[in-house]
Amino acid sequence: MTAPLYGAFFLLALLLTVVPGADFMTVFRNALAGGKQRGLWAAWGISASLLFQGSLAALGLGVLLLRARPFLLVLHWVGGLYLVYLGLQCLGRAWRNQESSPNPPRASLGAFAQGFLSSSTNPKVLFFYLAVLPQFLLPGASPLWLLLLAATHALQSGLYLSWVALGLHRFRPFWAKWRRGAEGAAGVTLLGLGFALILDRSQGA
């Protein structure tokens, strides 16, 4: 591993991190529904999932999982259906015009679990770690370098998504005014991402 290679990966991972997707929407819906605390828990649930998947890739288990066609198909369906479920929750809240709820400890743990599951059930994350990360390693490099790159991406995601959660909290009065529309938009987006994941069979072919 050289400094230029690490710098190139850092910039690529940062670019992928800031592009809105399922992770962003998971943090968005949690911050909208429960405020800063739930948004932060969701953000670090996603970060923990990325570190977990990066560890699988570094240990070589990811290759075995990706070669198992039934596993891939199940992962596509579970991941897609979970995003659809989150989207329907958002739409339900928007339809009922439900206000933000209190944040007992189980709500924070639930937000963490949502972040972890939404990222863990997206097979494209594991593909990224197995196909892209090795391109930034020198021949014969230790798997620990792969783990370092995965940890870098996980930390970037955790920090960026935490910033998103804090930003949403800061502008909470604005979101309170338009909360119903924002909740509905988040629901539609999550539904679209979920159905796109279900219909994308190329990864499991």
Side-chain angles (χ1 to χ4, degrees):
M1 173 65 65
T2 63
L5 275 177
Y6 182 79
F9 170 78
F10 187 93
L11 292 176
L12 174 62
L14 184 61
L15 178 63
L16 294 176
T17 296
V18 300
V19 174
D23 291 345
F24 178 92
M25 294 310 302
T26 300
V27 172
F28 182 88
R29 73 172 298 278
N30 274 282
L32 199 63
K36 173 178 63 176
Q37 182 177 337
R38 280 176 59 180
L40 289 173
W41 276 89
W44 289 103
I46 291 166
S47 181
S49 172
L50 295 175
L51 184 58
F52 171 71
Q53 293 183 80
S55 299
L56 287 182
L59 293 172
L61 298 178
V63 176
L64 298 178
L65 294 176
L66 290 178
R67 287 178 178 175
R69 176 180 170 81
F71 170 79
L72 278 181
L73 292 177
V74 169
L75 196 61
H76 270 280
W77 279 96
V78 171
L81 290 174
Y82 186 65
L83 291 178
V84 169
Y85 166 73
L86 295 181
L88 291 175
Q89 277 193 330
C90 283
L91 292 177
R93 289 175 59 86
W95 178 264
R96 296 189 302 270
N97 199 21
Q98 183 177 343
E99 296 294 336
S100 299
S101 57
N103 285 298
R106 65 177 181 273
S108 297
L109 292 177
F112 182 90
Q114 282 185 20
F116 190 91
L117 288 174
S118 67
S119 182
S120 296
T121 54
N122 186 351
K124 294 181 179 179
V125 175
L126 196 53
F127 268 95
F128 170 73
Y129 284 147
L130 290 174
V132 178
L133 265 65
Q135 308 304 317
F136 294 89
L137 299 177
L138 296 175
S142 167
L144 291 178
W145 288 113
L146 186 64
L147 186 58
L148 172 63
L149 296 181
T152 298
H153 182 220
L155 182 59
Q156 283 179 337
S157 295
L159 292 174
Y160 170 70
L161 293 173
S162 294
W163 177 78
V164 169
L166 292 173
L168 289 170
H169 178 74
R170 182 173 183 179
F171 293 98
R172 195 174 178 85
F174 171 82
W175 292 115
K177 183 178 180 181
W178 300 98
R179 186 196 57 77
R180 194 173 187 182
E183 193 98 53
V188 170
T189 302
L190 284 167
L191 282 176
L193 291 169
F195 284 122
L197 186 58
I198 290 172
L199 295 174
D200 180 13
R201 302 300 184 87
S202 61
Q203 307 286 4

